[in-house]
């Protein structure tokens, strides 16, 4: 099993930094089912080709074999889930979008040529084109003859695939990791919930927009309908939620007019609304609870009115992402002093949460089990007790307007509940009474006359009596 990645940009050997593999060396990794090797067949300033060769262990492959096909099959040669697992191991850093030595290269589009020596394409060359062309690839699919001497054996389903495009290495690897298993019929391991996460992680930024996304999701998850539903619902939510972050003013100026006119996604609207509300409340010190990957933190940081911004999340991984995307280590000292990240849980009383003007809890409560929500209410409104609290959560009534969300399903596999507007108002109203806050509500996103807006926001402010 062999795939190659060729960079023909100037200083082509930058590919080595991006793949975290020095072109001068041979790199090998032991896997449960064989061995993966990375080597370079050329490494000049004009052209650099990295080859990933996977040798499947024949003994491992026939473990549990019962019939002839178990021994004689195409598994050792064709690109399959074995290859994508190997890619995950050997190119893990590149797939995660990291490049320690040359971080600026990660987002650089390079003229890349990818070849997959043997691929078995269900649906033939048409499917190859349908999958890769929308991603900007020029596709060459050369059928590998079954056998010239026996035309009766029919058309081969095997192809040598060449893809050319100007893409980032990170995107190219992500495309392969999703689409190779889609083309191949078999997956050599159990498909469970973790596969949905993996699919959405590798598909971030492109899968939601792909015209064949339904086909991709179905085939990737081997048509396990509960998983397919889950993935489609999350994709749909992400499609509404994908934040196009404007990194800097110069970039903003460079955006094409049509991009500026593009309707804002739901999550962008939500984050903008929260930032605006925090500003009108004249809050200067902000706590972002369940800050995730730091999308709100970045927005707040761009406005000097916010003097101290603290993000807390229970997930260490999210905090790492937040730190690298802010990016903390490349920020001028003065900026860096304004922002602070910490690991912690909303379910436990924590002294570090005291003394803030406002707290934002954006799309978090629906991830908590109901009994735990009660703990969070006391932690936030009784002990941390900021002057203002902004909470957003989905509005379940709006779900019927999502065309591919099956009736009764929640938008995200990890949501424990989604509230109607009345349920949210009841919950928030009761909190106001119990802890001495007054509450107002705002819709988030376009308002449907009957079902309301897709998301809802409550703004709590300490009453004069409550502030004593
Ligand atoms: N507020 C972010 C992320 C929302 S996703 C945004 O709008 O983009 C929900 C986040 O809540 C996740 O990052 C998850 O790790 C975090 N979370 C879930 N339970 C938590 C808890 N008990 N304490 C703190 N954070 C929690």
């Amino acid at each position: 099993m062999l795939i190659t990645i060729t960079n023909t940009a100037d200083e082509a050997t930058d590919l080595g930094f991006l793949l975290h593999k020095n072109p001068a060396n041979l790199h090998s990794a032991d896997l449960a089912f064989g061995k993966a090797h990375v080597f370079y067949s050329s490494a000049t300033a004009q052209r650099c080709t990295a080859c990933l060769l996977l040798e499947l262990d024949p003994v491992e492959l026939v473990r549990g074999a019962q019939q002839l096909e178990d021994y004689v099959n195409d598994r050792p040669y064709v690109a399959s889930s074995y290859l994508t697992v190997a890619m995950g191991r050997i190119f893990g850093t590149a797939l995660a979008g990291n490049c320690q030595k040359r971080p600026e290269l990660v987002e650089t589009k390079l003229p890349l040529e990818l070849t997959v020596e043997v691929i078995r394409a269900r649906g033939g060359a048409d499917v190859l084109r349908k999958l890769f062309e929308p991603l900007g690839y020029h596709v060459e699919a050369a059928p590998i003859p079954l056998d010239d001497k026996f035309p009766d054996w029919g058309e081969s389903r095997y192809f040598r695939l060449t893809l050319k495009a100007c893409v980032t290495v990170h995107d190219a690897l992500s495309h392969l990791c999703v689409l190779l298993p889609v083309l191949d019929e078999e997956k050599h391991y159990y498909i469970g919930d973790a596969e949905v996460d993996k699919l959405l992680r590798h598909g971030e930024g492109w899968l939601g927009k792909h015209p064949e996304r339904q086909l991709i999701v179905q085939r990737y998850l081997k048509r396990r309908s509960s998983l397919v539903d889950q993935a489609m619902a999350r994709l749909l939510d992400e499609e509404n939620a994908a934040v196009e972050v404007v990194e800097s003013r110069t970039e903003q100026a460079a955006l094409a007019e049509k991009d500026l006119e593009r309707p804002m996604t739901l999550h962008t609207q939500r984050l903008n609304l929260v930032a605006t509300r925090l500003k009108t409340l004249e809050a200067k010190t902000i706590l972002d609870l369940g800050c995730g990957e730091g999308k709100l933190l970045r927005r707040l940081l761009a406005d000097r009115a916010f003097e101290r911004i603290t993000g807390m999340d229970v997930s260490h991984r999210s905090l790492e992402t937040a730190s690298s995307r802010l990016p903390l280590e490349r920020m001028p000292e003065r900026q860096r002093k304004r922002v602070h990240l910490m690991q912690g849980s909303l379910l436990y009383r924590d002294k570090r949460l005291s003394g803030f003007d406002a707290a934002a809890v954006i799309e978090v409560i629906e991830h908590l089990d109901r009994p735990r929500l009660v703990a969070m209410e006391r932690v936030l409104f009784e002990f941390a007790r900021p002057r203002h609290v902004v909470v957003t959560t989905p509005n379940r009534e709006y779900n019927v307007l999502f065309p591919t969300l099956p009736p009764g399903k929640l938008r995200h596999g990890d949501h424990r509940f989604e509230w109607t507007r009345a349920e949210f108002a009841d919950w928030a109203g009761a909190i106001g009474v119990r802890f001495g806050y007054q509450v107002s509500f705002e819709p988030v996103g376009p308002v449907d006359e009957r079902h309301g807006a897709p998301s809802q926001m409550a703004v709590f402010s300490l009453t004069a009596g409550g502030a004593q």
Side-chain angles (χ1 to χ4, degrees), residues 267 270-271 288-296 312-315 318 344-347 361-364 367-368 414:
H267 203 47
R270 184 186 284 131
L271 296 170
D288 184 6
L289 298 169
C291 63
E293 297 173 354
K295 289 167 182 166
L296 179 64
M312 185 183 89
D313 204 285
V314 77
S315 152
S318 294
S345 170
L346 267 165
L347 307 177
V361 191
I362 308 307
E363 304 297 287
V364 175
H367 291 270
L368 306 176
D414 190 46

Side-chain angles (χ1 to χ4, degrees), residues 241-308:
V243 182
E244 278 100 49
V245 180
V246 178
E247 295 285 3
S248 67
R249 278 165 206 279
T250 23
E251 266 186 47
Q252 187 170 16
L255 273 179
E257 199 174 358
K258 71 171 172 18
D259 278 338
L260 288 171
E261 285 170 2
R262 196 168 45 195
M264 254 191 282
T265 61
L266 175 61
H267 203 47
T268 307
Q269 291 179 52
R270 184 186 284 131
L271 296 170
N272 289 346
L273 182 67
V274 171
T276 309
R277 195 53 63 249
L278 289 171
K279 191 155 176 176
T280 48
L281 292 168
E282 295 182 359
K284 295 191 173 5
T285 57
I286 315 284
L287 197 51
D288 184 6
L289 298 169
C291 63
E293 297 173 354
K295 289 167 182 166
L296 179 64
L297 299 175
R298 273 196 289 182
R299 270 183 174 60
L300 299 181
L301 202 60
D303 188 335
R304 289 187 187 286
F306 301 109
E307 293 168 4
R308 183 160 57 101

Side-chain angles (χ1 to χ4, degrees), residues 100-380:
Q100 254 169 14
K101 288 202 181 123
R102 302 278 305 277
E104 77 286 0
L105 287 177
V106 172
E107 299 298 336
T108 309
K109 291 188 177 177
L110 300 170
L112 295 185
E113 187 176 317
L114 315 170
T115 65
V116 184
E117 281 308 316
V118 185
I119 189 153
R120 183 170 67 172
R122 261 195 295 169
D126 279 353
V127 168
L128 290 170
R129 276 187 215 100
K130 255 182 14 190
L131 293 178
F132 287 100
E133 281 177 353
L135 298 168
Y137 291 96
H138 171 77
V139 178
E140 283 167 35
I144 299 172
L146 263 187
D147 195 317
D148 292 343
K149 288 188 224 86
F150 301 98
D152 292 352
W153 286 8
E155 286 260 303
S156 163
R157 285 186 301 158
Y158 296 94
F159 294 86
R160 179 176 192 274
L161 176 67
T162 308
L163 303 166
K164 289 179 196 158
C166 207
V167 278
T168 66
V169 165
H170 167 247
D171 279 347
L173 292 175
S174 305
H175 296 154
L176 289 178
C177 274
V178 172
L179 297 179
L180 293 183
V182 163
L183 287 158
D184 190 49
E185 265 144 303
E186 295 162 36
K187 245 185 199 174
H188 69 278
Y189 53 82
Y190 174 72
I191 315 280
D193 284 355
E195 277 307 271
V196 177
D197 288 336
K198 201 158 73 177
L199 171 64
L200 296 181
R201 202 167 63 241
H202 291 321
E204 198 182 331
W206 62 272
L207 182 54
K209 292 178 272 187
H210 198 295
E212 297 297 337
R213 64 183 179 186
Q214 183 86 28
L215 174 94
I216 296 171
V217 169
Q218 277 182 348
R219 283 196 181 183
Y220 188 93
L221 298 170
K222 300 300 158 220
R223 300 186 199 281
R224 287 202 43 203
S225 56
S226 61
L227 297 180
V228 171
D229 286 351
Q230 204 192 107
M232 287 310 289
R234 280 173 59 183
L235 259 186
L236 195 119
D237 200 40
E238 266 166 30
E239 188 184 332
N240 289 319
V243 182
E244 278 100 49
V245 180
V246 178
E247 295 285 3
S248 67
R249 278 165 206 279
T250 23
E251 266 186 47
Q252 187 170 16
L255 273 179
E257 199 174 358
K258 71 171 172 18
D259 278 338
L260 288 171
E261 285 170 2
R262 196 168 45 195
M264 254 191 282
T265 61
L266 175 61
H267 203 47
T268 307
Q269 291 179 52
R270 184 186 284 131
L271 296 170
N272 289 346
L273 182 67
V274 171
T276 309
R277 195 53 63 249
L278 289 171
K279 191 155 176 176
T280 48
L281 292 168
E282 295 182 359
K284 295 191 173 5
T285 57
I286 315 284
L287 197 51
D288 184 6
L289 298 169
C291 63
E293 297 173 354
K295 289 167 182 166
L296 179 64
L297 299 175
R298 273 196 289 182
R299 270 183 174 60
L300 299 181
L301 202 60
D303 188 335
R304 289 187 187 286
F306 301 109
E307 293 168 4
R308 183 160 57 101
I309 305 154
T310 299
M312 185 183 89
D313 204 285
V314 77
S315 152
H316 188 64
R317 205 166 151 193
S318 294
L319 289 170
E320 274 181 357
T321 312
S323 168
S324 69
R325 292 197 181 160
L326 270 163
L328 273 188
E329 70 279 5
R330 278 188 280 140
M331 227 177 249
E333 179 73 10
R334 202 155 31 92
Q335 285 277 75
R336 201 170 48 224
K337 277 194 177 147
R338 289 170 57 216
V339 56
H340 177 59
L341 294 177
M342 61 193 198
Q343 188 171 21
S345 170
L346 267 165
L347 307 177
Y348 301 100
R349 191 174 171 175
D350 188 334
K351 285 204 190 92
R352 298 174 301 173
L353 305 185
S354 306
F356 286 85
D357 292 341
V361 191
I362 308 307
E363 304 297 287
V364 175
I365 57 171
E366 63 277 9
H367 291 270
L368 306 176
D369 290 324
R370 291 299 294 274
R372 299 196 160 182
L373 193 58
V374 180
M376 171 263 174
E377 292 163 11
R378 293 196 65 197
V379 167
L380 179 55

